[in-house]
Structure formats: structure tokens, C-alpha cells
Amino acid sequence: KGMNFIGIDYGSKFIGLSWGSDDLGVAVPLESVHNFLSLGCIFRRLNEISLEKGCDAFVLGLPLHMDGTEGKRVQEVREFANKLSDSINKPIFFQDERLSTQATQYLI
């Protein structure tokens, strides 16, 4: 059986969520959560979704600079991941987001 995961696109205003499976090899959009909500509310919603979807792990996008260095946004994502890990006991993986927007333009 493949791994099921919740993808998290951490933004300053919204946190985009998707669900994916190794078996399917694709991720599908779920919903966006307002980032102005308390972390407790955000983590409760993530926990609900992870239980509904049988989530084995979380995958967070890392907005690295084009040269591969980490900036302020990456630190925010890592801090969010640390707090998420404290709240929900599931593995967290990071995915390099560089050029992901350009790559999806070719799929449309």
C-alpha cells in the first residue's frame, strides 16, 4: 500500500491543502485555510482532514531562492512545520518549490 499525504502550501494569507497518494501518483486540491486563524484552529482542521483522508504524512513546500538558499519565507515554513509536528504526530517532508509554478503552466 502506498503512502497517503496532505500537501501544504504555506502562504501568508492562505494555507493551501491538497491530498495525494503514492498509488495514484497525483495530488488533488482540497481547500484553503485562512492563515489569520489561530494555529490551534488550523491544526484542528489539518487533523480532521488527515483522519478523513487516512493521511500518513504531511508534505510542505519550501519556497527556496533560485540559487537554493533559504530566505525569510523558508524560516516561516520551518517554524510552522515544527509547531505542526508538536501538534500532530505524523512525519513531515519538505518539497523544493522552485519552478513549480512554471512547470504547472505546461500541464494546463
Side-chain angles (χ1 to χ4, degrees), residues 2-3 9-11 13 17 20 48 50 54 74-75 77 79 91 97:
M3 180 180 274
D9 184 12
Y10 183 87
K13 294 182 182 174
L17 304 177
E48 289 171 359
S50 71
V74 171
Q75 278 307 112
V77 170
E79 287 173 21
E97 286 186 339

Short mmCIF file of all heavy atoms in Angstrom, two decimals, residues 2-3 9-11 13 17 20 48 50 54 74-75 77 79 91 97:
data_model
loop_
_atom_site.label_atom_id
_atom_site.label_comp_id
_atom_site.label_asym_id
_atom_site.label_seq_id
_atom_site.Cartn_x
_atom_site.Cartn_y
_atom_site.Cartn_z
N GLY A 2 0.54 2.18 -0.88
CA GLY A 2 1.29 3.44 -0.95
C GLY A 2 0.96 4.37 0.20
O GLY A 2 0.02 4.14 0.97
N MET A 3 1.72 5.42 0.28
CA MET A 3 1.54 6.41 1.33
C MET A 3 0.54 7.47 0.87
O MET A 3 0.58 7.94 -0.26
CB MET A 3 2.89 7.06 1.65
CG MET A 3 2.82 8.10 2.74
SD MET A 3 4.43 8.83 3.10
CE MET A 3 5.02 7.65 4.28
N ASP A 9 0.68 24.09 1.20
CA ASP A 9 1.32 25.24 0.56
C ASP A 9 1.12 26.43 1.49
O ASP A 9 0.05 27.04 1.50
CB ASP A 9 0.70 25.49 -0.81
CG ASP A 9 1.40 26.62 -1.57
OD1 ASP A 9 2.49 27.05 -1.14
OD2 ASP A 9 0.82 27.08 -2.58
N TYR A 10 2.15 26.71 2.29
CA TYR A 10 2.04 27.72 3.35
C TYR A 10 2.19 29.11 2.75
O TYR A 10 3.22 29.43 2.15
CB TYR A 10 3.10 27.48 4.42
CG TYR A 10 3.02 28.44 5.57
CD1 TYR A 10 2.20 28.17 6.65
CD2 TYR A 10 3.75 29.61 5.57
CE1 TYR A 10 2.11 29.06 7.72
CE2 TYR A 10 3.67 30.51 6.63
CZ TYR A 10 2.85 30.23 7.69
OH TYR A 10 2.75 31.10 8.74
N GLY A 11 1.16 29.92 2.90
CA GLY A 11 1.21 31.30 2.44
C GLY A 11 0.88 32.24 3.58
O GLY A 11 0.32 31.84 4.60
N LYS A 13 -1.34 34.59 3.67
CA LYS A 13 -2.77 34.82 3.82
C LYS A 13 -3.57 33.52 3.85
O LYS A 13 -4.55 33.40 4.58
CB LYS A 13 -3.29 35.70 2.69
CG LYS A 13 -2.72 37.10 2.75
CD LYS A 13 -3.28 37.96 1.66
CE LYS A 13 -2.63 39.34 1.76
NZ LYS A 13 -2.98 40.20 0.67
N LEU A 17 -4.26 23.37 0.76
CA LEU A 17 -4.15 21.96 1.11
C LEU A 17 -4.50 21.08 -0.09
O LEU A 17 -5.39 21.41 -0.88
CB LEU A 17 -5.11 21.63 2.26
CG LEU A 17 -4.95 22.45 3.54
CD1 LEU A 17 -6.02 22.07 4.55
CD2 LEU A 17 -3.56 22.30 4.12
N GLY A 20 -2.79 13.60 -1.66
CA GLY A 20 -2.12 12.79 -2.67
C GLY A 20 -1.85 11.40 -2.16
O GLY A 20 -1.93 11.12 -0.97
N GLU A 48 -8.45 16.92 11.30
CA GLU A 48 -9.71 16.39 10.77
C GLU A 48 -9.51 15.83 9.36
O GLU A 48 -9.96 14.73 9.05
CB GLU A 48 -10.78 17.49 10.72
CG GLU A 48 -11.31 17.93 12.06
CD GLU A 48 -12.19 19.17 11.96
OE1 GLU A 48 -12.39 19.72 10.84
OE2 GLU A 48 -12.68 19.63 13.01
N SER A 50 -6.71 14.95 7.91
CA SER A 50 -5.79 13.81 7.88
C SER A 50 -6.50 12.52 8.30
O SER A 50 -6.23 11.45 7.75
CB SER A 50 -4.55 14.07 8.73
OG SER A 50 -4.85 14.05 10.11
N GLY A 54 -7.10 9.46 5.69
CA GLY A 54 -6.14 8.41 6.01
C GLY A 54 -4.71 8.84 5.73
O GLY A 54 -3.91 8.10 5.18
N VAL A 74 11.18 30.66 4.00
CA VAL A 74 11.53 29.27 4.34
C VAL A 74 11.54 29.11 5.86
O VAL A 74 11.05 28.10 6.38
CB VAL A 74 12.88 28.86 3.72
CG1 VAL A 74 13.33 27.50 4.25
CG2 VAL A 74 12.77 28.82 2.21
N GLN A 75 12.06 30.10 6.57
CA GLN A 75 12.07 30.03 8.03
C GLN A 75 10.65 29.97 8.58
O GLN A 75 10.37 29.22 9.52
CB GLN A 75 12.81 31.23 8.63
CG GLN A 75 14.31 31.04 8.65
CD GLN A 75 14.70 29.74 9.33
OE1 GLN A 75 15.20 28.82 8.67
NE2 GLN A 75 14.48 29.62 10.62
N VAL A 77 8.03 28.70 7.06
CA VAL A 77 7.53 27.35 6.77
C VAL A 77 8.10 26.35 7.77
O VAL A 77 7.38 25.49 8.29
CB VAL A 77 7.85 26.94 5.32
CG1 VAL A 77 7.55 25.47 5.09
CG2 VAL A 77 7.08 27.81 4.33
N GLU A 79 9.18 26.93 10.83
CA GLU A 79 8.58 27.17 12.15
C GLU A 79 7.17 26.58 12.20
O GLU A 79 6.79 25.96 13.19
CB GLU A 79 8.54 28.68 12.44
CG GLU A 79 9.90 29.25 12.76
CD GLU A 79 9.87 30.78 12.89
OE1 GLU A 79 8.78 31.35 13.14
OE2 GLU A 79 10.94 31.39 12.75
N PRO A 91 4.82 12.13 10.21
CA PRO A 91 6.04 12.61 9.56
C PRO A 91 5.77 13.82 8.68
O PRO A 91 4.67 13.96 8.12
CB PRO A 91 6.48 11.42 8.69
CG PRO A 91 5.73 10.24 9.21
CD PRO A 91 4.48 10.76 9.84
N GLU A 97 10.06 23.96 -3.96
CA GLU A 97 9.03 24.55 -4.80
C GLU A 97 9.58 25.33 -5.99
O GLU A 97 8.80 25.87 -6.77
CB GLU A 97 8.17 25.52 -3.98
CG GLU A 97 7.22 24.89 -3.04
CD GLU A 97 6.31 25.93 -2.38
OE1 GLU A 97 6.67 27.12 -2.35
OE2 GLU A 97 5.25 25.55 -1.91
#
